[in-house]
Coordinates of all heavy atoms in Angstrom, one line a residue:
M679 N 94.4 -82.3 -160.9 CA 93.4 -82.1 -161.8 C 93.8 -82.7 -163.2 O 95.0 -82.7 -163.6 CB 93.2 -80.6 -162.0 CG 92.0 -80.1 -162.9 SD 91.7 -78.5 -162.8 CE 89.9 -78.6 -162.3
S680 N 92.7 -83.2 -163.9 CA 93.1 -83.8 -165.2 C 93.4 -82.8 -166.3 O 93.0 -81.6 -166.3 CB 92.0 -84.7 -165.6 OG 90.9 -83.9 -166.0
A681 N 94.0 -83.2 -167.4 CA 94.4 -82.3 -168.4 C 93.2 -81.9 -169.3 O 93.3 -81.0 -170.1 CB 95.4 -83.0 -169.4
G682 N 92.1 -82.6 -169.1 CA 90.8 -82.3 -169.8 C 90.2 -81.0 -169.4 O 89.3 -80.4 -170.0
G683 N 90.5 -80.5 -168.2 CA 89.8 -79.3 -167.8 C 88.5 -79.5 -167.0 O 88.2 -80.7 -166.9
A684 N 87.9 -78.6 -166.6 CA 86.6 -78.6 -165.9 C 85.6 -79.2 -166.8 O 85.5 -79.1 -167.9 CB 86.2 -77.3 -165.4
F685 N 84.7 -80.2 -166.2 CA 83.6 -80.7 -166.9 C 84.2 -81.6 -168.0 O 83.4 -81.8 -169.1 CB 82.6 -79.8 -167.4 CG 82.0 -78.9 -166.3 CD1 82.5 -77.6 -166.2 CD2 81.2 -79.3 -165.3 CE1 82.0 -76.7 -165.2 CE2 80.7 -78.6 -164.2 CZ 81.1 -77.3 -164.2
G686 N 85.2 -82.2 -168.0 CA 85.7 -83.1 -169.1 C 86.5 -82.2 -170.2 O 87.6 -82.7 -170.6
G687 N 86.1 -81.2 -170.7 CA 86.7 -80.3 -171.5 C 87.2 -81.1 -172.9 O 86.7 -82.2 -173.1
N688 N 87.8 -80.4 -173.7 CA 88.3 -80.9 -175.0 C 89.5 -81.7 -174.8 O 90.5 -81.3 -174.3 CB 88.7 -79.8 -175.9 CG 89.0 -80.2 -177.2 OD1 89.2 -81.5 -177.5 ND2 89.0 -79.3 -178.2
R689 N 89.5 -83.0 -175.0 CA 90.6 -84.0 -174.8 C 91.2 -84.3 -176.2 O 91.5 -85.5 -176.5 CB 90.0 -85.2 -174.2 CG 89.5 -84.9 -172.8 CD 89.2 -86.1 -172.1 NE 88.8 -85.8 -170.7 CZ 87.9 -86.5 -170.0 NH1 87.3 -87.5 -170.5 NH2 87.6 -86.0 -168.8
G690 N 91.4 -83.3 -177.0 CA 92.0 -83.6 -178.3 C 91.1 -84.0 -179.4 O 91.6 -84.2 -180.6
L691 N 89.8 -84.2 -179.1 CA 88.9 -84.5 -180.1 C 88.5 -83.4 -181.0 O 88.3 -82.3 -180.4 CB 87.7 -85.2 -179.6 CG 88.0 -86.4 -178.6 CD1 86.7 -86.9 -178.0 CD2 88.4 -87.5 -179.6
R692 N 88.3 -83.5 -182.3 CA 87.9 -82.6 -183.1 C 86.4 -82.3 -182.9 O 85.6 -83.1 -182.8 CB 88.2 -82.7 -184.6 CG 89.7 -83.0 -184.8 CD 90.0 -83.1 -186.2 NE 89.6 -82.0 -186.9 CZ 89.5 -81.8 -188.3 NH1 89.7 -82.8 -189.0 NH2 89.2 -80.6 -188.7
P693 N 86.0 -81.1 -182.9 CA 84.5 -80.7 -182.7 C 83.8 -81.4 -184.0 O 84.2 -81.4 -185.0 CB 84.5 -79.3 -182.7 CG 85.7 -78.7 -183.3 CD 86.7 -79.9 -183.1
V694 N 82.4 -81.7 -183.8 CA 81.6 -82.4 -184.7 C 80.5 -81.3 -185.1 O 79.9 -80.8 -184.1 CB 81.2 -83.8 -184.3 CG1 80.1 -84.2 -185.2 CG2 82.2 -84.7 -183.9
P695 N 80.2 -81.0 -186.3 CA 79.2 -80.1 -186.6 C 77.9 -80.6 -186.3 O 77.8 -81.9 -186.2 CB 79.3 -80.0 -188.2 CG 80.0 -81.1 -188.7 CD 81.0 -81.5 -187.6
P696 N 77.0 -79.8 -186.0 CA 75.6 -80.2 -185.7 C 74.9 -81.0 -186.6 O 75.2 -80.8 -187.9 CB 74.8 -78.9 -185.2 CG 75.6 -77.9 -185.8 CD 77.0 -78.4 -186.1
E697 N 74.0 -81.8 -186.3 CA 73.2 -82.8 -187.1 C 72.2 -81.8 -187.9 O 71.9 -80.8 -187.4 CB 72.4 -83.8 -186.4 CG 73.3 -84.8 -185.8 CD 74.0 -85.8 -186.7 OE1 73.3 -86.0 -187.8 OE2 75.2 -86.2 -186.5
K698 N 71.7 -82.3 -189.0 CA 70.7 -81.5 -189.8 C 69.5 -81.4 -188.8 O 69.3 -82.2 -188.1 CB 70.3 -82.4 -191.0 CG 69.3 -81.8 -191.9 CD 68.9 -82.7 -193.0 CE 67.9 -81.9 -193.9 NZ 67.5 -82.9 -195.0
G699 N 69.0 -80.2 -188.9 CA 67.8 -79.9 -188.1 C 68.1 -78.9 -186.9 O 67.4 -78.3 -186.2
V700 N 69.6 -78.7 -186.6 CA 70.1 -78.0 -185.6 C 70.6 -76.6 -186.2 O 71.4 -76.8 -187.0 CB 71.1 -78.7 -184.7 CG1 71.6 -77.7 -183.7 CG2 70.7 -79.9 -184.2
F701 N 69.9 -75.7 -186.0 CA 70.3 -74.4 -186.6 C 70.1 -73.2 -185.7 O 69.4 -73.3 -184.6 CB 69.4 -74.1 -187.9 CG 67.9 -74.5 -187.9 CD1 67.1 -73.7 -187.2 CD2 67.5 -75.7 -188.3 CE1 65.8 -73.9 -187.0 CE2 66.2 -76.0 -188.1 CZ 65.3 -75.2 -187.5
P702 N 70.7 -72.1 -186.0 CA 70.7 -71.0 -185.1 C 69.2 -70.5 -184.7 O 68.4 -70.5 -185.6 CB 71.4 -69.8 -185.9 CG 72.2 -70.5 -186.9 CD 71.4 -71.8 -187.2
L703 N 69.1 -70.0 -183.5 CA 67.7 -69.5 -183.0 C 67.5 -68.1 -183.8 O 68.6 -67.5 -184.1 CB 67.7 -69.4 -181.5 CG 67.8 -70.7 -180.8 CD1 67.8 -70.3 -179.3 CD2 66.6 -71.5 -181.2
D704 N 66.4 -67.6 -183.8 CA 66.1 -66.4 -184.6 C 66.1 -65.3 -183.5 O 65.0 -64.8 -183.1 CB 64.7 -66.6 -185.2 CG 64.3 -65.4 -186.1 OD1 65.2 -64.5 -186.1 OD2 63.3 -65.3 -186.5
H705 N 67.3 -65.0 -182.9 CA 67.4 -63.9 -181.8 C 66.9 -62.6 -182.2 O 66.5 -61.8 -181.4 CB 68.7 -63.9 -181.3 CG 69.3 -65.2 -180.7 ND1 68.8 -65.5 -179.6 CD2 70.2 -66.1 -181.1 CE1 69.4 -66.6 -179.1 NE2 70.2 -67.0 -180.0
M706 N 67.0 -62.3 -183.6 CA 66.6 -61.1 -184.1 C 65.1 -61.0 -184.6 O 64.6 -60.0 -185.0 CB 67.5 -60.7 -185.3 CG 69.0 -60.5 -184.9 SD 69.3 -59.4 -183.7 CE 69.1 -57.9 -184.5
H707 N 64.4 -62.1 -184.3 CA 62.9 -62.2 -184.7 C 62.7 -61.9 -186.1 O 61.7 -61.3 -186.5 CB 62.1 -61.3 -183.8 CG 62.5 -61.6 -182.4 ND1 62.0 -62.7 -181.6 CD2 63.2 -60.9 -181.4 CE1 62.4 -62.7 -180.5 NE2 63.1 -61.6 -180.2
L708 N 63.6 -62.3 -187.0 CA 63.4 -62.1 -188.4 C 62.3 -62.8 -189.1 O 61.7 -62.5 -190.2 CB 64.8 -62.5 -189.2 CG 66.0 -61.7 -188.7 CD1 67.2 -62.2 -189.3 CD2 65.9 -60.3 -188.8
C709 N 61.9 -64.0 -188.5 CA 60.9 -64.8 -189.1 C 59.7 -65.0 -188.2 O 59.0 -66.0 -188.2 CB 61.4 -66.1 -189.6 SG 62.6 -66.0 -191.0
D710 N 59.5 -64.0 -187.2 CA 58.5 -64.2 -186.2 C 57.1 -64.2 -186.9 O 56.3 -64.9 -186.4 CB 58.4 -62.9 -185.3 CG 59.3 -63.3 -184.0 OD1 59.8 -64.3 -183.9 OD2 59.2 -62.4 -183.1
L711 N 56.7 -63.5 -187.9 CA 55.5 -63.5 -188.6 C 55.2 -64.8 -189.0 O 54.1 -65.4 -188.8 CB 55.3 -62.3 -189.7 CG 54.1 -62.4 -190.4 CD1 52.9 -62.1 -189.5 CD2 54.3 -61.5 -191.6
E712 N 56.0 -65.4 -189.8 CA 55.9 -66.7 -190.4 C 55.7 -67.9 -189.3 O 54.9 -68.8 -189.4 CB 57.0 -67.1 -191.4 CG 57.2 -66.4 -192.5 CD 57.8 -65.0 -192.4 OE1 58.3 -64.5 -191.3 OE2 58.0 -64.2 -193.3
K713 N 56.6 -67.7 -188.2 CA 56.4 -68.5 -187.0 C 55.1 -68.5 -186.5 O 54.3 -69.5 -186.1 CB 57.5 -68.3 -186.1 CG 57.4 -69.2 -184.8 CD 58.5 -68.9 -183.8 CE 58.2 -67.7 -183.2 NZ 59.1 -67.3 -182.0
K714 N 54.6 -67.3 -186.1 CA 53.3 -67.2 -185.5 C 52.2 -67.6 -186.5 O 51.2 -68.2 -185.8 CB 53.1 -65.7 -185.1 CG 54.0 -65.2 -184.0 CD 53.9 -63.7 -183.7 CE 54.8 -63.4 -182.6 NZ 54.9 -62.0 -182.4
E715 N 52.2 -67.4 -187.8 CA 51.1 -67.8 -188.8 C 51.1 -69.4 -188.5 O 50.0 -70.0 -188.4 CB 51.5 -67.4 -190.1 CG 51.3 -66.0 -190.4 CD 51.7 -65.6 -191.8 OE1 52.5 -66.3 -192.3 OE2 51.2 -64.6 -192.3
Y716 N 52.3 -70.0 -188.5 CA 52.2 -71.5 -188.5 C 51.7 -72.0 -187.0 O 50.8 -72.9 -187.0 CB 53.7 -71.9 -188.6 CG 53.8 -73.5 -188.5 CD1 53.3 -74.4 -189.4 CD2 54.5 -74.1 -187.4 CE1 53.2 -75.7 -189.3 CE2 54.8 -75.5 -187.4 CZ 54.0 -76.2 -188.1 OH 54.2 -77.6 -188.1
L717 N 52.1 -71.4 -186.0 CA 51.7 -71.8 -184.7 C 50.1 -71.5 -184.5 O 49.5 -72.3 -184.0 CB 52.4 -71.1 -183.6 CG 53.9 -71.5 -183.4 CD1 54.6 -70.8 -182.5 CD2 54.0 -73.0 -183.2
N718 N 49.7 -70.4 -185.1 CA 48.3 -70.1 -185.0 C 47.4 -71.0 -185.8 O 46.3 -71.6 -185.5 CB 47.9 -68.7 -185.5 CG 48.3 -67.6 -184.5 OD1 48.4 -67.9 -183.3 ND2 48.6 -66.4 -185.0
C719 N 48.0 -71.5 -187.0 CA 47.3 -72.4 -187.8 C 47.3 -73.8 -187.0 O 46.2 -74.5 -187.1 CB 48.0 -72.7 -189.0 SG 47.4 -73.9 -190.2
L720 N 48.3 -74.2 -186.4 CA 48.3 -75.4 -185.8 C 47.3 -75.5 -184.6 O 46.5 -76.4 -184.3 CB 49.6 -75.7 -185.0 CG 50.8 -76.3 -185.9 CD1 52.1 -76.3 -185.2 CD2 50.4 -77.6 -186.5
K721 N 47.1 -74.4 -183.7 CA 46.1 -74.2 -182.8 C 44.8 -74.4 -183.4 O 43.8 -75.0 -182.8 CB 46.3 -73.0 -182.0 CG 47.5 -72.8 -181.1 CD 47.7 -71.4 -180.4 CE 49.0 -71.4 -179.6 NZ 49.1 -70.1 -179.0
S722 N 44.5 -73.6 -184.4 CA 43.1 -73.6 -185.1 C 42.8 -75.0 -185.6 O 41.6 -75.1 -185.9 CB 42.9 -72.3 -186.0 OG 43.7 -72.6 -187.0
S723 N 43.7 -75.6 -186.0 CA 43.4 -77.0 -186.7 C 43.5 -78.1 -185.9 O 43.5 -79.3 -186.4 CB 44.3 -77.2 -187.9 OG 45.7 -77.5 -187.4
G724 N 43.7 -78.0 -184.6 CA 43.7 -79.1 -183.6 C 45.0 -79.7 -183.7 O 45.1 -80.9 -183.6
H725 N 46.1 -79.1 -184.0 CA 47.5 -79.5 -184.1 C 47.6 -80.6 -185.2 O 48.4 -81.4 -185.1 CB 47.8 -80.0 -182.7 CG 48.0 -79.0 -181.8 ND1 49.1 -78.1 -181.7 CD2 47.2 -78.4 -180.8 CE1 48.9 -77.3 -180.8 NE2 47.7 -77.4 -180.2
K726 N 46.8 -80.4 -186.3 CA 46.9 -81.3 -187.5 C 47.9 -80.6 -188.4 O 47.5 -79.7 -189.2 CB 45.7 -81.6 -188.1 CG 44.8 -82.3 -187.2 CD 43.3 -82.6 -187.8 CE 42.5 -83.3 -186.9 NZ 41.2 -83.3 -187.3
S727 N 49.1 -81.1 -188.4 CA 50.2 -80.3 -189.2 C 50.1 -80.3 -190.8 O 50.5 -79.4 -191.3 CB 51.6 -80.9 -188.9 OG 51.6 -82.2 -189.2
D728 N 49.3 -81.4 -191.2 CA 49.0 -81.4 -192.6 C 48.4 -80.2 -193.1 O 48.4 -79.8 -194.2 CB 48.3 -82.6 -193.0 CG 49.1 -83.9 -193.0 OD1 50.3 -83.8 -192.9 OD2 48.7 -84.9 -193.0
N729 N 47.4 -79.7 -192.2 CA 46.7 -78.5 -192.7 C 47.4 -77.3 -192.6 O 46.9 -76.2 -193.1 CB 45.4 -78.3 -191.7 CG 44.4 -79.4 -191.7 OD1 44.5 -80.3 -192.7 ND2 43.6 -79.5 -190.7
C730 N 48.7 -77.3 -192.1 CA 49.5 -76.1 -192.0 C 50.7 -76.1 -192.8 O 51.7 -75.4 -192.5 CB 49.7 -75.7 -190.5 SG 48.3 -75.7 -189.6
R731 N 50.9 -77.1 -193.7 CA 52.2 -77.2 -194.4 C 52.5 -76.0 -195.1 O 53.7 -75.6 -195.3 CB 52.1 -78.4 -195.3 CG 52.2 -79.8 -194.5 CD 52.1 -81.0 -195.5 NE 52.9 -81.0 -196.6 CZ 54.2 -81.5 -196.5 NH1 54.7 -81.8 -195.4 NH2 55.0 -81.4 -197.6
H732 N 51.7 -75.3 -195.7 CA 52.1 -74.1 -196.5 C 52.6 -73.1 -195.6 O 53.6 -72.3 -196.0 CB 50.8 -73.5 -197.2 CG 49.7 -73.1 -196.4 ND1 48.8 -74.1 -195.8 CD2 49.1 -72.0 -196.0 CE1 47.8 -73.4 -195.1 NE2 48.1 -72.1 -195.4
F733 N 52.2 -73.0 -194.3 CA 52.9 -72.0 -193.4 C 54.3 -72.6 -192.9 O 55.1 -71.8 -192.8 CB 52.0 -71.9 -192.1 CG 50.7 -71.0 -192.4 CD1 49.6 -71.5 -192.2 CD2 50.8 -69.7 -192.8 CE1 48.3 -70.9 -192.5 CE2 49.6 -68.9 -193.0 CZ 48.4 -69.6 -192.8
S734 N 54.3 -73.9 -192.9 CA 55.7 -74.4 -192.5 C 56.7 -74.2 -193.7 O 57.9 -73.9 -193.4 CB 55.5 -75.9 -192.4 OG 56.7 -76.6 -192.1
K735 N 56.3 -74.3 -194.8 CA 57.0 -74.0 -196.0 C 57.5 -72.5 -196.0 O 58.7 -72.2 -196.2 CB 56.4 -74.4 -197.2 CG 57.2 -74.2 -198.6 CD 56.5 -74.6 -199.7 CE 57.3 -74.5 -200.9 NZ 56.7 -74.7 -202.2
K736 N 56.5 -71.7 -195.7 CA 56.9 -70.3 -195.8 C 57.8 -69.9 -194.6 O 58.8 -69.1 -194.9 CB 55.4 -69.3 -195.4 CG 55.5 -68.0 -195.7 CD 54.1 -67.4 -195.5 CE 54.2 -65.9 -195.5 NZ 52.8 -65.2 -195.1
Y737 N 57.8 -70.6 -193.5 CA 58.7 -70.3 -192.4 C 60.1 -70.8 -192.7 O 61.1 -70.1 -192.5 CB 58.2 -71.0 -191.1 CG 59.1 -71.0 -189.9 CD1 59.5 -69.7 -189.4 CD2 59.7 -72.1 -189.5 CE1 60.3 -69.7 -188.3 CE2 60.5 -72.0 -188.4 CZ 60.8 -70.8 -187.7 OH 61.7 -70.7 -186.8
L738 N 60.3 -72.0 -193.4 CA 61.5 -72.5 -193.8 C 62.1 -71.6 -194.8 O 63.3 -71.4 -194.8 CB 61.3 -74.1 -194.3 CG 60.9 -75.0 -193.2 CD1 60.7 -76.3 -193.7 CD2 62.1 -75.2 -192.1
V739 N 61.3 -71.2 -195.7 CA 62.0 -70.3 -196.8 C 62.5 -69.1 -196.2 O 63.5 -68.5 -196.6 CB 60.8 -70.0 -197.9 CG1 61.2 -68.9 -198.7 CG2 60.5 -71.2 -198.7
C740 N 61.7 -68.5 -195.3 CA 62.2 -67.3 -194.5 C 63.4 -67.5 -193.9 O 64.4 -66.7 -194.0 CB 61.0 -66.8 -193.5 SG 61.7 -65.3 -192.5
R741 N 63.6 -68.7 -193.2 CA 64.8 -69.0 -192.4 C 65.9 -69.1 -193.4 O 67.1 -68.7 -193.1 CB 64.6 -70.3 -191.6 CG 63.7 -70.0 -190.4 CD 63.8 -71.3 -189.5 NE 65.2 -71.5 -189.0 CZ 65.6 -70.9 -187.9 NH1 64.9 -70.0 -187.2 NH2 66.9 -71.2 -187.4
M742 N 65.8 -69.7 -194.6 CA 66.8 -69.9 -195.6 C 67.2 -68.6 -196.2 O 68.4 -68.2 -196.3 CB 66.4 -70.9 -196.6 CG 66.4 -72.3 -196.2 SD 66.2 -73.5 -197.5 CE 64.3 -73.7 -197.4
E743 N 66.2 -67.7 -196.4 CA 66.5 -66.3 -196.9 C 67.4 -65.5 -195.9 O 68.1 -64.6 -196.4 CB 65.2 -65.7 -197.4 CG 64.6 -66.3 -198.6 CD 63.2 -65.6 -199.0 OE1 62.7 -64.8 -198.0 OE2 62.8 -65.9 -200.0
K744 N 67.0 -65.6 -194.7 CA 67.6 -64.8 -193.6 C 69.0 -65.6 -193.2 O 69.5 -65.1 -192.1 CB 66.8 -64.5 -192.5 CG 65.3 -64.0 -192.9 CD 65.5 -62.7 -193.4 CE 64.1 -62.2 -193.6 NZ 64.0 -61.0 -194.3
N745 N 69.4 -66.6 -193.8 CA 70.6 -67.3 -193.5 C 70.5 -67.8 -192.0 O 71.5 -67.9 -191.3 CB 71.8 -66.5 -193.6 CG 72.1 -66.2 -195.0 OD1 72.0 -67.1 -195.9 ND2 72.6 -65.1 -195.3
L746 N 69.4 -68.3 -191.5 CA 69.2 -68.9 -190.3 C 69.3 -70.4 -190.4 O 69.3 -71.1 -189.4 CB 67.9 -68.5 -189.7 CG 67.8 -67.0 -189.2 CD1 66.3 -66.7 -188.9 CD2 68.7 -66.7 -188.2
M747 N 69.3 -71.0 -191.6 CA 69.5 -72.3 -191.9 C 70.2 -72.4 -193.2 O 70.0 -71.5 -194.0 CB 68.2 -73.2 -191.8 CG 67.2 -72.9 -192.7 SD 65.6 -73.8 -192.4 CE 66.1 -75.4 -193.1
A748 N 70.8 -73.7 -193.4 CA 71.3 -73.8 -194.8 C 70.3 -73.9 -195.9 O 69.1 -74.3 -195.7 CB 72.2 -75.1 -194.7
K749 N 70.6 -73.3 -197.1 CA 69.6 -73.4 -198.2 C 69.6 -74.8 -198.8 O 70.6 -75.4 -198.9 CB 70.1 -72.4 -199.3 CG 69.9 -71.0 -198.8 CD 70.2 -70.0 -199.9 CE 69.7 -68.6 -199.4 NZ 70.5 -67.5 -199.4
Q750 N 68.3 -75.3 -198.9 CA 68.2 -76.6 -199.5 C 67.0 -76.7 -200.3 O 66.3 -75.7 -200.3 CB 67.8 -77.6 -198.3 CG 69.0 -78.1 -197.5 CD 68.6 -79.2 -196.5 OE1 68.1 -78.8 -195.4 NE2 68.4 -80.4 -197.0
D751 N 67.0 -77.5 -201.3 CA 65.9 -77.7 -202.2 C 64.7 -78.1 -201.3 O 64.7 -78.9 -200.4 CB 66.2 -78.7 -203.2 CG 65.2 -78.7 -204.3 OD1 64.1 -79.4 -204.1 OD2 65.3 -78.0 -205.3
M752 N 63.6 -77.5 -201.5 CA 62.3 -77.8 -200.6 C 61.9 -79.2 -200.8 O 61.3 -79.7 -199.9 CB 61.2 -76.8 -201.1 CG 61.4 -75.4 -200.8 SD 61.9 -75.1 -199.0 CE 60.4 -75.5 -198.1
S753 N 62.2 -79.9 -201.9 CA 61.9 -81.3 -202.1 C 62.6 -82.1 -201.1 O 62.2 -83.2 -200.6 CB 62.2 -81.9 -203.5 OG 63.6 -81.8 -203.8
E754 N 63.8 -81.8 -200.6 CA 64.6 -82.5 -199.7 C 63.9 -82.2 -198.2 O 64.3 -83.0 -197.3 CB 66.0 -81.9 -199.6 CG 66.8 -82.2 -200.9 CD 68.2 -81.7 -200.9 OE1 68.6 -81.1 -199.8 OE2 68.8 -81.6 -201.9
L755 N 63.1 -81.2 -198.1 CA 62.5 -81.0 -196.8 C 61.0 -81.4 -196.7 O 60.2 -81.1 -196.0 CB 62.5 -79.4 -196.6 CG 64.0 -78.9 -196.4 CD1 63.8 -77.4 -196.3 CD2 64.6 -79.4 -195.3
G756 N 60.7 -82.3 -197.7 CA 59.2 -82.8 -197.9 C 58.3 -82.0 -198.6 O 57.1 -82.4 -198.5
F757 N 58.7 -81.0 -199.4 CA 57.8 -80.1 -200.2 C 58.1 -80.4 -201.7 O 58.7 -79.6 -202.2 CB 57.9 -78.7 -199.8 CG 57.6 -78.4 -198.4 CD1 58.6 -78.4 -197.4 CD2 56.3 -78.2 -197.9 CE1 58.3 -78.1 -196.1 CE2 56.0 -78.1 -196.7 CZ 57.0 -77.8 -195.7
G758 N 57.8 -81.6 -202.2 CA 58.1 -81.9 -203.6 C 57.0 -81.3 -204.5 O 56.1 -80.5 -204.1
K759 N 57.1 -81.7 -205.8 CA 56.2 -81.2 -206.8 C 54.8 -81.6 -206.5 O 53.8 -80.8 -206.7 CB 56.5 -81.8 -208.2 CG 57.9 -81.2 -208.7 CD 58.2 -81.9 -210.0 CE 59.6 -81.2 -210.4 NZ 60.1 -81.9 -211.7
N760 N 54.6 -82.8 -205.9 CA 53.1 -83.2 -205.6 C 52.6 -82.3 -204.6 O 51.4 -81.9 -204.6 CB 53.1 -84.7 -205.1 CG 53.4 -85.6 -206.2 OD1 53.3 -85.3 -207.3 ND2 53.8 -86.8 -205.7
Y761 N 53.4 -81.9 -203.6 CA 52.9 -81.0 -202.7 C 52.5 -79.5 -203.2 O 51.4 -79.1 -202.9 CB 53.9 -80.6 -201.5 CG 53.6 -79.5 -200.6 CD1 52.7 -79.7 -199.6 CD2 54.1 -78.3 -200.8 CE1 52.3 -78.6 -198.9 CE2 53.8 -77.3 -200.1 CZ 52.9 -77.4 -199.1 OH 52.4 -76.3 -198.3
D762 N 53.3 -79.1 -204.1 CA 53.1 -77.8 -204.7 C 51.8 -77.8 -205.5 O 51.1 -76.9 -205.5 CB 54.3 -77.3 -205.5 CG 55.5 -76.9 -204.7 OD1 55.3 -76.6 -203.6 OD2 56.6 -77.1 -205.2
A763 N 51.5 -79.0 -206.1 CA 50.3 -79.1 -207.0 C 49.2 -79.2 -206.1 O 48.0 -78.7 -206.3 CB 50.4 -80.3 -207.8
D764 N 49.2 -79.8 -204.9 CA 48.0 -79.9 -204.0 C 47.8 -78.6 -203.4 O 46.8 -78.2 -203.3 CB 48.5 -80.9 -203.0 CG 48.5 -82.5 -203.4 OD1 47.9 -82.6 -204.5 OD2 49.0 -83.2 -202.6
T765 N 48.8 -77.9 -203.1 CA 48.7 -76.6 -202.4 C 48.0 -75.7 -203.5 O 47.0 -74.9 -203.0 CB 50.1 -76.1 -202.0 OG1 50.7 -76.9 -201.2 CG2 49.8 -74.6 -201.3
S766 N 48.4 -75.5 -204.5 CA 47.8 -74.5 -205.6 C 46.4 -74.9 -205.9 O 45.6 -73.9 -206.1 CB 48.7 -74.5 -206.8 OG 48.9 -75.7 -207.4
S767 N 46.0 -76.2 -205.9 CA 44.7 -76.5 -206.1 C 43.8 -76.2 -205.0 O 42.6 -75.7 -205.1 CB 44.4 -77.9 -206.5 OG 44.7 -78.8 -205.4
E768 N 44.4 -76.3 -203.7 CA 43.6 -76.0 -202.5 C 43.3 -74.5 -202.4 O 42.3 -74.0 -202.1 CB 44.3 -76.5 -201.3 CG 44.3 -78.0 -201.0 CD 45.0 -78.4 -199.9 OE1 45.7 -77.5 -199.2 OE2 45.4 -79.6 -199.7
E769 N 44.5 -73.7 -202.9 CA 44.4 -72.2 -202.7 C 43.4 -71.7 -203.7 O 42.7 -70.8 -203.4 CB 45.8 -71.6 -202.9 CG 46.7 -71.9 -201.7 CD 48.1 -71.4 -202.0 OE1 48.4 -70.9 -203.1 OE2 48.9 -71.5 -201.2
M770 N 43.3 -72.4 -204.9 CA 42.3 -71.9 -205.9 C 40.9 -72.2 -205.4 O 40.0 -71.3 -205.7 CB 42.4 -72.8 -207.2 CG 43.8 -72.6 -207.9 SD 43.8 -71.1 -208.8 CE 44.1 -71.6 -210.2
E771 N 40.6 -73.3 -204.6 CA 39.3 -73.5 -204.1 C 38.8 -72.5 -203.1 O 37.6 -72.2 -202.8 CB 39.2 -74.8 -203.4 CG 39.4 -76.0 -204.4 CD 39.5 -77.4 -203.8 OE1 39.5 -77.4 -202.4 OE2 39.8 -78.3 -204.5
Q772 N 39.7 -71.8 -202.4 CA 39.4 -70.9 -201.3 C 39.0 -69.5 -201.8 O 38.9 -69.0 -202.7 CB 40.6 -70.7 -200.4 CG 40.9 -71.9 -199.6 CD 42.2 -71.7 -198.8 OE1 42.8 -70.6 -198.7 NE2 42.6 -72.6 -198.1

């Protein structure tokens, strides 16, 4: 049998951290409400994600607050100042 163990095993290589976008699953269902709001929005809008960005942002904020993903500035995740201005004007119209 090889020194690497079953299925190849660790052959002296250092483990590599996961790429951005890979984060722990929400096993405790801490952000279920936010996730369900986003998924319901997608269904009702014909899967047009632009219409549901505010729910997406809310879900990501929840994940960061509950330490289910690394804290990042929302502008790095596609929610810049222009997005916030568009959202607040849309919410005012409703």
Side-chain angles (χ1 to χ4, degrees):
M679 182 171 235
S680 69
F685 305 108
N688 186 349
R689 295 188 178 149
L691 300 175
R692 297 186 66 194
V694 177
E697 293 291 325
K698 181 178 176 178
V700 178
F701 40 80
L703 296 176
D704 187 4
H705 293 291
M706 302 302 289
H707 307 284
L708 301 174
C709 296
D710 264 8
L711 176 63
E712 292 81 358
K713 177 181 73 174
K714 288 176 183 176
E715 287 176 335
Y716 177 66
L717 293 175
N718 287 336
C719 180
L720 283 176
K721 286 179 187 175
S722 65
S723 70
H725 296 277
K726 295 179 182 167
S727 60
D728 285 348
N729 297 342
C730 305
R731 284 177 54 83
H732 57 288
F733 289 116
S734 175
K735 181 177 181 180
K736 189 175 172 184
Y737 177 63
L738 291 172
V739 167
C740 178
R741 290 190 62 86
M742 286 188 268
E743 287 175 351
K744 308 290 186 192
N745 293 318
L746 293 169
M747 66 182 282
K749 291 187 170 128
Q750 279 185 275
D751 190 273
M752 292 308 288
S753 64
E754 294 175 14
L755 299 172
F757 300 96
K759 291 179 183 176
N760 291 340
Y761 168 77
D762 291 334
D764 291 344
T765 302
S766 52
S767 66
E768 287 173 10
E769 289 173 356
M770 296 282 238
E771 292 171 3
Q772 292 177 359

